[in-house]
Amino acid sequence: MPASIRTCLTAASIALLALPGAASADGPAIAELQVFPPQVNLTTDRDRQSIVVQANFTNDTTRDVTAEATFALADPSLVRVDESHTYYPVADGSTVLTVAFGDRSVEVPVTVARAGEIPPLSYRLDVMPVFMKAGCNSGGCHGAARGKDGFRLSLFGFDPEGDYHRLLRELPGRRVNLSVPEASTVLEKGAGLVPHSGGQLFGTDSELYGTIREWIAAGAPNDTVEELPTLTDVQLYPSRAVLDGKGSTQQMTVRAVYSDGTDRDVTSLAVFSTNNDNSAVVDGAGLVTAGERGEAFVMARFETFTVGSQFLVLPQGLEFEYPDEPEANYIDTLVADKLRKIRVAPSEVCSDETFLRRVSLDLVGLVPTPDEYRAFLDDPDPDKRSKVIDELLTRKEFSEIWVQKWAELLQVRTVQNRIEYKGMYLYYNWLVEQLSNDVPMDVMTRDLLSASGGTFQSPATNYYQGTNDQLLMAENVAQVFMGMRIQCAQCHNHPFDRWTQDDYYGFVAFFAQIGRKQGEDYRETIIFNSGGGETKHPVDGRNMPPKFLGGEIPDVRGKDRREVLADWLASPDNPFFATSFVNRVWAHFFGIGIVEQVDDFRVSNPASNPELLDELARRFTDSGYDLKSLVRDICNSRTYQRDTVANDSNAHDSVNFARANLRRIKAENLLDVISQVTDTQEKFRGLPLGARAVQIADGRSSNYFLTTFGRATRETVCSCEVKMEPTLSQSLHLLNGSTTNAKIRSSPVLKSLVESDLPPEDLITDLYVRCLSRKPTPEERDQLLPLFGEGSDRQQALEDVFWALLNSREFIFNH
């Protein structure tokens, strides 16, 4: 019997012995059996492919059943397999691998080509990955800016040509010894044969050692880059897992795909990491072991690619029944899908009073008036919540909320010697016009990024006056419109994302031909396409062709590069535009994004619910990038309308939207609400008396209250500029500062109540409804009534109640 057949039969026998325990009679049934990768392609004698089998059960858990499954090859003469279920080429041809577990089976196509060919090792494709796997070119070792112990490599291999020079030319014969490969310092230190501050990185019998030794023995050849296939994709399997109990394991497998159509198993060369080792740890071989209950994102890095897989860890055998409740729309369905997986029950839907205050603050930045409050509560229509959402969306205050948000993102402010007050004001009014007229977000973005002309005549051009730095401009565009912080790639390949220096400077090249000249009015600047100017790569000085982030190199000959970029960026061809935008909108209503921070999309910062994010983005795109349609979907969902009161299962969960989060009201909105409930007015520069703080155009205009409560200065595009965290200074200002106390004393509301003949109970109720959109509880009313006792000062009593309400957490927070 041939050895290959004997190996397969042995593996099958072992699996069959284990099969009776695969799924016990009283356990969950198998919903799906998956084999990774879904096909096996073996090219040349050096290739191999490991197989991972995952069973998905009806209770949403998963299990690695590779060791328990049976494997049968239709033609076992084409490949050989070892005990770890790794397949190696033997002869050219195609066959089928049948994998079975329980009552399920999967067929996997197997193709073998050039089985007798042993290609030479490649410096870039085979040797450079060894340095990354061993950690040699990491930031804590020789990849540091100054290197370590007299030897420097580029961080994560962003400069392979420079690394080759330093390996072979800086100390000839020492780091790489072509005559005696084993005497090469790079091998001796890596294997711990001589003192090495990094310790032993691999054994002399390891694949890593063998690869470098073989390459050196062959003369340590460099690559002919033009003939070398490039890495186009890295696939990490499985893409998700729900592990049942501490100690459960799941093996990962990583496959690299190249431009010549080949692929290879790079599991042994990938660098694995986890963003939560309390819930899931991963070893160097890609074996994930479950820890405490929680979520983790397991990542694999190979060359310039970082990919990840979502892991959910549950207590073993946790009994859970998701509540049977209606779903208002797709948002509720997708949130519920995630909550079922993590065994978390949602909170109840909030009361009508809570909903009305919450949605009013979120949509128009004001609390409902007493008349609006009474009309809503008295309305018997079961669809009254949807009706009030539709009504609020038609108010001008809704567009003002989003003008303010865009003004922060676009840094609308005066800038000395660049943006005059007139230009800034016209720029702000352009935003007002766009949003008040419901201009689709893609159209507004396209018009902004491609704007040309004078900063007075074409106000959107003020966007290009915020900075003359091409690098900063490119970084800002990526962060604002795609939610990506690409700054790291300016100096080296991004350590936690896929972006390389080539990607960075290719994107910068779109802004290399922005021309500026003075207009007839010396205060005005003309923005135009200069038609000339290139961006050079800092390592080799070559001119970088404009390239979309994550996309292709477009044809920009004879075109305004900004127009080419704008057409792609605000289109379905760029998936990051829609996902970034809907994530920002979601965060406005929930206080936290599906990706958090909202402008930090990267592989190592995954979405808490990627299916929800993708569906929101898809529907937003299909709607023609209609902001109101997106907002309407969010506000009508039960997910948005849930109570802040936690239950036992969701008390410690704040990222899966099982309950509403408490959110401090934003600085401008809080000042507006204080003015609203006290019926007083504020005066801001450039605005009439009584204007709202949310209408302030200039980011440099502020007052003590707004500064104390964290109004953005718009000096950067970072979402972190808006401060929402409560501070002691804020509390002291509300308690003792001039804003609240002065408004209470001068309030016409208070004067009207003092002069009325209403009984104390009604006076207290009026202030509660006005400030908190609810009536006082009997306990609250009984505690306040003594203030109105015989001989008391009615004015002082009302001032005290008003002051207490305006200083309450319930008033300052949206809940």
Side-chain angles (χ1 to χ4, degrees), residues 316-328:
Q316 187 170 18
L318 176 64
E319 296 293 331
F320 176 80
E321 185 174 347
Y322 195 81
D324 184 16
E325 62 174 15
E327 295 172 350

Side-chain angles (χ1 to χ4, degrees), residues 171-399:
L171 294 174
R174 288 189 57 189
R175 290 173 181 161
V176 171
N177 189 327
L178 299 178
S179 301
V180 186
E182 295 83 358
S184 300
T185 304
V186 68
L187 283 176
E188 291 181 327
K189 289 204 170 189
L193 302 177
V194 297
H196 181 217
S197 59
Q200 182 180 10
L201 302 176
F202 43 72
T204 56
D205 58 347
S206 70
E207 178 189 6
L208 303 185
Y209 182 95
T211 296
I212 297 179
R213 187 198 176 284
E214 182 181 345
W215 173 68
I216 295 173
N222 201 349
D223 295 315
T224 303
V225 179
E226 294 75 14
E227 301 175 359
L228 206 64
T230 57
L231 184 66
T232 59
D233 190 23
V234 172
Q235 301 160 346
L236 176 65
Y237 299 108
S239 61
R240 57 172 292 273
V242 182
L243 302 183
D244 188 17
K246 187 174 182 179
S248 301
T249 61
Q250 174 66 61
Q251 177 63 48
M252 312 294 287
T253 186
V254 187
R255 185 166 68 172
V257 181
Y258 293 90
S259 58
D260 62 356
T262 62
D263 61 62
R264 65 167 174 160
D265 186 336
V266 294
T267 308
S268 63
L269 293 173
V271 179
F272 293 95
S273 61
T274 174
N275 70 348
N276 180 10
D277 56 11
N278 185 56
S279 294
V281 296
V282 59
D283 66 15
L287 180 66
V288 180
T289 303
E292 302 300 328
R293 180 179 185 174
E295 300 182 41
F297 196 68
V298 176
M299 291 162 283
R301 183 182 179 97
F302 180 73
E303 287 198 16
T304 59
F305 283 74
T306 300
V307 291
S309 177
Q310 182 188 58
F311 275 72
L312 308 178
V313 177
L314 304 174
Q316 187 170 18
L318 176 64
E319 296 293 331
F320 176 80
E321 185 174 347
Y322 195 81
D324 184 16
E325 62 174 15
E327 295 172 350
N329 58 23
Y330 65 95
I331 292 174
D332 294 334
T333 302
L334 293 170
V335 170
D337 287 347
K338 174 68 180 295
L339 294 178
R340 286 190 186 94
K341 289 184 178 73
I342 61 176
R343 309 299 193 262
V344 167
S347 295
E348 298 293 329
V349 169
C350 66
S351 67
D352 281 346
E353 293 172 316
T354 299
F355 168 78
L356 181 62
R357 184 176 190 270
R358 180 188 299 172
V359 78
S360 297
L361 282 168
D362 283 340
L363 291 186
V364 297
L366 298 169
V367 293
T369 65
D371 289 341
E372 291 169 339
Y373 167 83
R374 286 187 286 269
F376 182 75
L377 291 190
D378 292 342
D379 188 350
D381 189 345
D383 294 327
K384 64 182 180 180
R385 293 194 180 192
S386 294
K387 284 167 52 180
V388 78
I389 291 169
D390 290 339
E391 187 277 324
L392 291 171
L393 286 173
T394 65
R395 289 171 54 173
K396 72 178 184 68
E397 292 90 349
F398 171 78
S399 63

Side-chain angles (χ1 to χ4, degrees), residues 444-469:
M444 188 184 88
T445 300
R446 197 176 293 115
D447 291 346
L448 177 76
L449 293 181
S450 61
S452 294
T455 51
F456 293 172
Q457 298 300 317
S458 179
T461 55
N462 282 279
Y463 180 69
Y464 291 104
Q465 281 298 88
T467 179
N468 294 330
D469 186 335

